[in-house]
Amino acid sequence: MRIVSSFSEARSAAMEAYHPSGGEEGPAPIGLVPTMGFLHEGHLSLISRARRECKVVTMSLYVNPRQFNVSSDFDRYPRSFERDCQLAAEAGVDILFAPSTSEMYESTESTAIHPGRVARIMEGTRRPGHLEGVALVVTKLLAGLGAQRTYFGRKDAQQLTMIRRMARDLRFPIEIVGCPTIRESDGLALSSRNTLMSANERETALDISRGLWAAALAAEGGELSAEDLRRAVTADRDRVGWEYVELADQEDASLLDTLDRPSFLAAAAWVGDVRLIDNVFFDMGSDGLAVDRGILLEGPSLLYR
Ligand code: PAF
């Protein structure tokens, strides 16, 4: 008998007992890619990473009503089940979990998840209830689907920070993997919401990624002041309706005045009646600052196919 006192030791001891041959770390048994469907190359990049790292890949597809603070936003969220099934199968998903709302939520349930500090700023104040809704559905997916690793895009930076924090706080035996934002070839971050914009609005929306890239360049040139980085994002770009631009700590999403740790510069802006979010990540490597701007597609996105 092995006596262990940490959650992680207890887990690895159980895994060793289950696979006595042990040895070097193999692929995780189950990888989970949570989605709300209308798949694009951003989702496919998560699936492809999960495919490389896990024996079994489960993808969940559920447009979660609890995370839409405005019901018209939920109603017009793009959906296409047949298309998603085909893309998921081609990308190598083994199990597609597409629950009904009664499977996800019971009318009698009473448990809520309050993510706390990490959800009281940026998206938390602009979209009241949104992050709580994400926290609840993600908790159900993490608790219910038996995955050891789960994959989220860095595009939803505050969501990723909140989920990491929550998984850590609640001692979920699951690794949270953050993956780079995938962008259209002109820089626009991929989002199912891009399909809701006209061609002119799409062109205007480029101000967001261009602004963030200008700030990233300034940071690479040594600019550390959050105020100056924020100004670099918005200066002369007033075609979009900026909601916020903030420099936040990757660890807990707290707002920073100075770029002095792993952080992200996040923006939310309106283009017509479409609300978009985007960011650049500032990682700290041994060689100093490393900016993650995401990955550009070479050709047109399958969003428009
Ligand atoms: O990022 C998303 O698509 C959603 O917020 C998620 C994580 C699938 C929860 O509904």
Side-chain angles (χ1 to χ4, degrees), residues 34-36 43 60 62 64 67 77 130 134 137-138 141 152 156 159 163:
T35 80
M36 297 207 297
H43 302 107
S60 64
Y62 179 63
N64 173 32
Q67 68 185 79
Y77 195 83
H130 162 67
V134 173
V137 81
V138 169
L141 296 171
F152 295 91
D156 293 292
Q159 164 177 288
I163 291 168

Side-chain angles (χ1 to χ4, degrees), residues 90-126:
E90 284 167 12
V93 167
D94 296 302
I95 299 161
L96 191 156
F97 172 58
S100 63
T101 288
S102 57
E103 174 66 22
M104 192 59 87
Y105 298 107
E106 286 182 33
S107 58
T108 50
E109 73 183 40
S110 89
T111 303
I113 304 283
H114 295 293
R117 271 194 315 279
V118 65
R120 286 197 200 113
I121 37 175
M122 298 187 286
E123 295 301 289
T125 46
R126 296 299 183 152

Side-chain angles (χ1 to χ4, degrees), residues 154 216 219-220 250 259 261-264 280-294:
R154 277 186 149 186
E220 283 169 331
Q250 283 185 33
L259 199 187
R261 67 195 78 176
S263 50
F264 55 87
V280 284
F281 267 70
F282 298 124
D283 299 314
M284 301 288 165
S286 47
D287 296 341
L289 179 74
V291 180
D292 174 7
R293 295 172 168 82

Side-chain angles (χ1 to χ4, degrees), residues 13-294:
M15 287 299 274
E16 262 169 47
Y18 185 58
H19 289 297
S21 53
E24 77 281 10
E25 214 178 287
I30 304 171
L32 170 67
V33 180
T35 80
M36 297 207 297
F38 212 79
L39 301 187
H40 51 62
E41 289 86 345
H43 302 107
L44 299 187
S45 74
L46 306 182
I47 296 169
S48 125
R49 173 115 183 237
R51 187 66 286 161
R52 286 200 304 277
E53 297 181 353
C54 307
K55 284 190 193 145
V56 175
V57 177
T58 300
M59 182 188 103
S60 64
L61 192 174
Y62 179 63
V63 185
N64 173 32
R66 304 272 183 110
Q67 68 185 79
F68 288 84
N69 54 318
V70 177
S71 62
S72 56
D73 191 25
F74 171 71
D75 293 340
R76 72 175 189 154
Y77 195 83
R79 295 163 170 88
S80 176
F81 187 66
E82 301 304 322
R83 173 186 174 280
D84 287 341
C85 290
Q86 194 189 331
L87 287 169
E90 284 167 12
V93 167
D94 296 302
I95 299 161
L96 191 156
F97 172 58
S100 63
T101 288
S102 57
E103 174 66 22
M104 192 59 87
Y105 298 107
E106 286 182 33
S107 58
T108 50
E109 73 183 40
S110 89
T111 303
I113 304 283
H114 295 293
R117 271 194 315 279
V118 65
R120 286 197 200 113
I121 37 175
M122 298 187 286
E123 295 301 289
T125 46
R126 296 299 183 152
R127 300 183 68 194
H130 162 67
L131 287 168
E132 283 76 6
V134 173
L136 183 59
V137 81
V138 169
T139 299
K140 285 172 185 256
L141 296 171
L142 299 193
L145 294 178
Q148 289 72 38
R149 232 173 250 173
T150 181
Y151 298 83
F152 295 91
R154 277 186 149 186
K155 153 111 182 344
D156 293 292
Q158 191 180 2
Q159 164 177 288
L160 174 61
T161 299
M162 176 192 76
I163 291 168
R164 273 194 205 291
R165 189 67 253 178
M166 188 177 78
R168 188 167 154 192
D169 292 349
L170 299 180
R171 305 289 192 256
F172 279 134
I174 188 157
E175 188 187 341
I176 310 294
V177 183
C179 304
T181 298
I182 309 293
R183 299 179 178 279
E184 300 196 34
S185 52
D186 54 10
L188 185 66
L190 277 176
S191 161
S192 312
R193 293 177 200 276
N194 294 358
T195 58
L196 302 174
M197 290 185 285
S198 68
N200 277 344
E201 287 172 334
R202 222 199 133 281
E203 166 59 29
T204 302
L206 289 174
D207 275 5
I208 305 170
S209 50
R210 287 182 183 147
L212 287 164
W213 290 20
L217 210 59
E220 283 169 331
E223 181 58 73
L224 299 179
S225 147
E227 198 182 328
D228 290 346
L229 292 173
R230 282 201 299 270
R231 202 170 304 124
V233 177
T234 56
D236 302 326
R237 293 185 186 87
D238 47 16
R239 295 184 305 165
V240 300
W242 297 104
E243 224 179 47
Y244 65 77
V245 181
E246 297 288 3
L247 181 69
D249 192 329
Q250 283 185 33
E251 183 76 11
D252 58 6
S254 59
L255 302 186
L256 302 174
D257 292 330
T258 308
L259 199 187
D260 57 1
R261 67 195 78 176
S263 50
F264 55 87
L265 187 64
W270 288 89
V271 181
D273 61 357
V274 179
R275 183 178 185 276
L276 299 172
I277 59 170
D278 196 359
N279 63 68
V280 284
F281 267 70
F282 298 124
D283 299 314
M284 301 288 165
S286 47
D287 296 341
L289 179 74
V291 180
D292 174 7
R293 295 172 168 82

Side-chain angles (χ1 to χ4, degrees), residues 2-16 166-174:
R2 251 180 94 179
I3 300 181
V4 297
S5 57
S6 75
F7 284 97
S8 63
E9 275 177 302
R11 270 196 313 272
S12 45
M15 287 299 274
E16 262 169 47
M166 188 177 78
R168 188 167 154 192
D169 292 349
L170 299 180
R171 305 289 192 256
F172 279 134
I174 188 157

